[in-house]
Amino acid sequence: MNEQLIPLIPALPIFGFAFTALLGRRIGRFAFLLPLLLVIASWAIAMGVVFTQLTGGYGADGANVKLWEWIPAGAFRIDIGFHVDNLTACLLIVVTTIGMLVHLYSVGYMSHDGARWRFFAYLNLFMFSMLLLVLADNFLVVFAAWELVGLSSYSLIGFWYVRPAAALASKKAFIVNRVGDVGFALGLMALWVALGTLNIADVNARIGTLDQPFITVIALLLFCGAAGKSAQFPLHVWLPDAMEGPTPVSALIHAATMVNAGVYLVARTSVIFAHAPEAMVIVASIGIFTAILAASIAFTQNDIKRVLAYSTLSQLGYMFAALGVGAWTAAIFHLMTHGFFKGLLFLGSGSVIHAVEDEQDMNKMGGLRKKIPITHATMLIGTLALSGIPPLAGFFSKDAILGESFTSGYLWVFGIGLVVAIMTAFYMFRLMGKTFYGSPSAYVRSIWEHIHEGPSTMLLPLVLLAVPSVFIGMYLGLPLGASRIMDWLAPVFAPAEETLARTVPEYQLFGIDGVLIVISVTAATLGAVVGAWLFGFFRTGTRPSTVERVTAANGVTRFLYRASLNKWWFDDLYDLLFIRVGGRLADALVWFDVRVVDGTVNEVGTVVSGAGQGLRRVQTGRVQNYALGIAMGLVVMAGAYLALAAR
């Protein structure tokens, strides 16, 4: 495909946003049509670009398109340009495909909302921002798109702004992301000062000329931005609250696209991190800690979307752990597979919520598989994929992360990752059991006759996302050890691999890697079986009394249950530190500023003004007064002279 068509990929959604924002209210119920068609067109062009790139049509260096010079300021010159390589192609597959299906799903899901035109305008703005971020060849353009993504997510999370929870959640997401973005901005400033360029390719080529401590600082500053956008500890608290937005927003932003921006940033700057091994250890540590922390919280949540939100946090932690151990390809592989099956699960949860009249508490569900069988079947596929059950997609990408962690010598990442795999399968089968199996709750029985599948525009995306959830892992991950995804991304990560200079053992199906596969599958199966046994998959296996005894017991189990249910009290801790203590400190600083700083300045001004008011009376404008003053001055001067002469 002609590389001059690449700018159309982000241009079509931004045109859809502008048109719908200006005229959507007047168009009315069909205002969704143009945004939907433009996103489909953007997807079609993107798939053409992806096919051309992955088949070598753009050459070894990929496609480069310069549009215009953005900032010409002396030595500081920034161009608006796009670059497409194999990493960009992988992200385009995920972003455009899931974005298109979310738009289609939203046609049915938001059909009864009077402001649907505004929702689709925001969706188009988000698609433009995310595509600009992925395609940009310059860090400053990436940063501009990064902030636009934050603005778009703020608008979408708070779409139902009349709900206090939604308004607060959108502000929380916006503010927490800005904390990380400060680090990102400082990192870009450091790059410009040190290298004199913000072009991504030039930075990657020159970064080795800097001292290693300085590179480590730059890497950690960039990671601050990535941690904020991808909700890593300690900036993880915004993402679960973001579930207050409409479910399509959860699927688009918080499962498959926006939260992956941080993973993409670290992968795109892999050469920088490869020159900073200390920073990589920090990335791996924070990633794997976030993975197990979020998984432990997902154990006890009863809101179906919050379980999936914490699952997203956990899987993002997996990806950052992979980046931290140098498993760049495995991280992007998991990004791709996770995008499809987590998008499926979020849209499936929206179908469940739609069926039970906007109820999200899983304790009020149960037995729904008979009433919404398509939703049940597709969500079961997503659950198996997320749990890492072969041969579904999650098995291949998760096993790649665990395998490379082990063979690279990061045994602690492998061990914790294995525990997280058990926990993931458990809480996902808990979700399925409480939602679709067991006996219907009293609430479900009261609305039993009204429960039904959503419209075809909601079901079709579920079916379409179920297909890659089953097959994309096999397509990208086979044959083991020499897979298609490795062939695609090897040229992108070759400079980082050379910098790390690691000796990773070759893949042996029945050697150590074969054993790791068996261990990984056994762990996932164990978690799945225990979850299914406890939460109603088997008619004779429902064990509510067992769960109640464990959670109600005194001692350690009771504490762990309460800690998980209360999200380890991080929200309470942040409220204490930043709202209460921070608020009082801010009040004290305001008092000091108003009373002391401003008071001193104001008093000086008052004195000067008073003196001026007094002195202005001397200026009468009468010549005789001035003559009298001169005469008196002469008398004084003469008297002083005579007194001195007398001495």
Side-chain angles (χ1 to χ4, degrees):
M1 177 172 284
N2 191 326
E3 63 183 27
Q4 298 304 317
L5 293 177
I6 293 173
L8 287 177
I9 298 174
L12 293 175
I14 194 61
F15 175 76
F17 161 73
F19 181 86
T20 309
L22 291 172
L23 301 176
R25 187 189 297 272
R26 296 182 181 181
I27 296 172
R29 58 179 299 188
F30 293 107
F32 71 88
L33 196 56
L34 182 64
L36 175 62
L37 293 176
L38 290 175
V39 166
I40 293 174
S42 180
W43 171 83
I45 296 171
M47 291 304 100
V49 169
V50 167
F51 179 79
T52 304
Q53 172 61 32
L54 295 179
T55 55
Y58 293 134
D61 296 330
N64 292 282
V65 180
K66 178 181 175 180
L67 297 183
W68 62 80
E69 192 173 47
W70 179 24
I71 302 176
F76 188 71
R77 310 184 77 84
I78 301 295
D79 297 331
I80 299 289
F82 299 141
H83 173 70
V84 175
D85 60 7
N86 288 3
L87 177 59
T88 308
C90 291
L91 268 293
L92 285 177
I93 292 172
V94 176
V95 174
T96 58
T97 302
I98 296 178
M100 176 186 64
L101 293 177
V102 166
H103 276 70
L104 178 61
Y105 181 92
S106 300
V107 173
Y109 191 87
M110 302 295 291
S111 59
H112 301 297
D113 196 297
R116 183 167 62 166
W117 64 272
R118 181 163 53 87
F119 183 77
F120 274 87
Y122 290 158
L123 285 183
N124 266 210
L125 177 61
F126 175 83
M127 288 296 295
F128 162 75
S129 306
M130 192 68 201
L131 290 169
L132 181 63
L133 190 157
V134 170
L135 288 165
D137 68 351
N138 188 287
F139 276 119
L140 193 61
V141 179
V142 169
F143 186 76
W146 193 273
E147 296 305 308
L148 280 174
V149 167
L151 175 63
S152 305
S153 67
Y154 168 81
S155 301
L156 287 166
I157 295 167
F159 178 75
W160 288 321
Y161 56 85
V162 294
R163 301 180 182 180
L168 290 173
S170 63
K171 288 191 288 186
K172 185 176 183 179
F174 191 82
I175 293 170
V176 173
N177 272 273
R178 298 293 75 72
V179 174
D181 292 352
V182 170
F184 189 8
L186 291 174
L188 298 188
M189 294 176 193
L191 284 173
W192 169 256
V193 170
L195 300 176
T197 181
L198 289 177
N199 181 274
I200 296 174
D202 292 340
V203 167
N204 286 336
R206 302 179 193 175
I207 193 68
T209 61
L210 303 180
D211 295 335
Q212 185 173 336
F214 191 56
I215 300 176
T216 301
V217 171
I218 291 174
L220 292 176
L221 288 172
L222 295 178
F223 178 62
C224 286
K229 197 68 74 183
S230 293
Q232 295 298 285
F233 174 85
L235 302 178
H236 65 286
V237 292
W238 69 266
L239 192 142
D241 287 0
M243 296 303 109
E244 294 295 336
T247 299
V249 174
S250 304
L252 179 64
I253 295 180
H254 310 118
T257 51
M258 171 181 162
V259 291
N260 289 334
V263 179
Y264 168 75
L265 177 65
V266 176
R268 177 58 75 190
T269 56
S270 57
V271 176
I272 298 177
F273 283 86
H275 280 90
E278 296 85 357
M280 290 183 64
V281 172
I282 293 175
V283 172
S285 302
I286 290 179
I288 204 65
F289 178 76
T290 304
I292 196 166
L293 173 70
S296 69
I297 297 174
F299 261 32
T300 59
Q301 301 304 303
N302 293 313
D303 185 312
I304 187 171
K305 288 175 64 177
R306 283 187 177 267
V307 174
L308 295 176
Y310 282 106
S311 174
T312 299
L313 280 176
S314 183
Q315 297 307 304
L316 288 167
Y318 248 111
M319 297 175 208
F320 276 102
L323 294 170
V325 304
W328 318 104
T329 299
I332 298 302
F333 188 12
H334 197 52
L335 181 154
M336 295 182 71
T337 60
H338 176 264
F340 287 108
F341 58 67
K342 186 55 67 65
L344 166 62
L345 287 168
F346 265 112
L347 295 183
S349 71
S351 182
V352 171
I353 295 167
H354 181 272
V356 295
E357 300 182 357
D358 296 328
E359 182 57 60
Q360 296 184 199
D361 188 345
M362 294 186 298
N363 290 327
K364 296 183 179 181
M365 300 180 189
L368 292 176
R369 72 184 187 279
K370 297 177 182 178
K371 297 292 288 186
I372 45 176
I374 297 176
T375 301
H376 161 254
T378 53
M379 285 195 71
L380 183 59
I381 290 172
T383 296
L384 292 170
L386 175 57
S387 300
I389 304 298
L392 279 76
F395 159 72
F396 291 93
S397 57
K398 191 176 292 185
D399 178 72
I401 294 174
L402 293 174
E404 289 207 40
S405 299
F406 186 91
T407 56
S408 299
Y410 291 86
L411 300 184
W412 53 279
V413 174
F414 170 79
I416 299 174
L418 202 62
V419 174
V420 173
I422 299 173
M423 299 167 74
T424 301
F426 175 83
Y427 67 66
M428 284 309 302
F429 275 82
R430 171 182 177 267
L431 180 149
M432 292 295 294
K434 292 174 77 70
T435 303
F436 294 103
Y437 293 85
S439 302
S441 67
Y443 173 77
V444 167
R445 287 196 296 270
S446 69
I447 62 169
W448 187 259
E449 298 302 323
H450 303 287
I451 298 175
H452 58 84
E453 293 279 19
S456 57
T457 53
M458 291 176 62
L459 295 179
L460 181 59
L462 296 181
V463 175
L464 293 177
L465 285 171
V467 174
S469 297
V470 175
F471 295 110
I472 194 173
M474 290 182 279
Y475 178 74
L476 295 178
L478 290 175
L480 297 173
S483 62
R484 184 173 279 104
I485 189 73
M486 292 180 67
D487 292 339
W488 287 356
L489 296 177
V492 177
F493 297 127
E497 293 286 356
E498 292 174 4
T499 302
L500 286 178
R502 297 178 306 166
T503 302
V504 180
E506 293 185 3
Y507 190 93
Q508 297 176 356
L509 182 58
F510 298 103
I512 184 64
D513 291 298
V515 174
L516 295 178
I517 290 175
V518 173
I519 294 174
S520 173
V521 173
T522 302
T525 304
L526 175 64
V529 170
V530 173
W533 181 69
L534 287 175
F535 294 100
F537 269 72
F538 315 113
R539 291 186 178 181
T540 59
T542 305
R543 297 290 186 273
S545 58
T546 304
V547 178
E548 291 170 2
R549 284 200 304 273
V550 171
T551 56
N554 294 321
V556 176
T557 56
R558 176 63 176 170
F559 169 78
L560 293 176
Y561 172 75
R562 291 181 58 220
S564 173
L565 190 63
N566 290 284
K567 300 167 283 187
W568 293 93
W569 298 286
F570 276 107
D571 284 326
D572 302 280
L573 176 62
Y574 288 1
D575 179 72
L576 174 64
L577 291 178
F578 301 116
I579 305 301
R580 299 183 185 180
V581 176
R584 291 183 180 180
L585 177 61
D587 290 340
L589 292 175
V590 168
W591 178 89
F592 182 81
D593 182 60
V594 172
R595 298 290 184 180
V596 178
V597 178
D598 288 350
T600 301
V601 173
N602 292 337
E603 286 300 319
V604 171
T606 300
V607 171
V608 172
S609 177
Q613 291 290 339
L615 290 174
R616 68 182 293 185
R617 296 179 180 178
V618 177
Q619 301 294 330
T620 62
R622 296 178 179 177
V623 176
Q624 56 268 36
N625 290 349
Y626 298 153
L628 178 62
I630 293 171
M632 292 176 63
L634 290 173
V635 170
V636 172
M637 290 175 63
Y641 176 77
L642 292 173
L644 290 172
R647 290 184 181 182

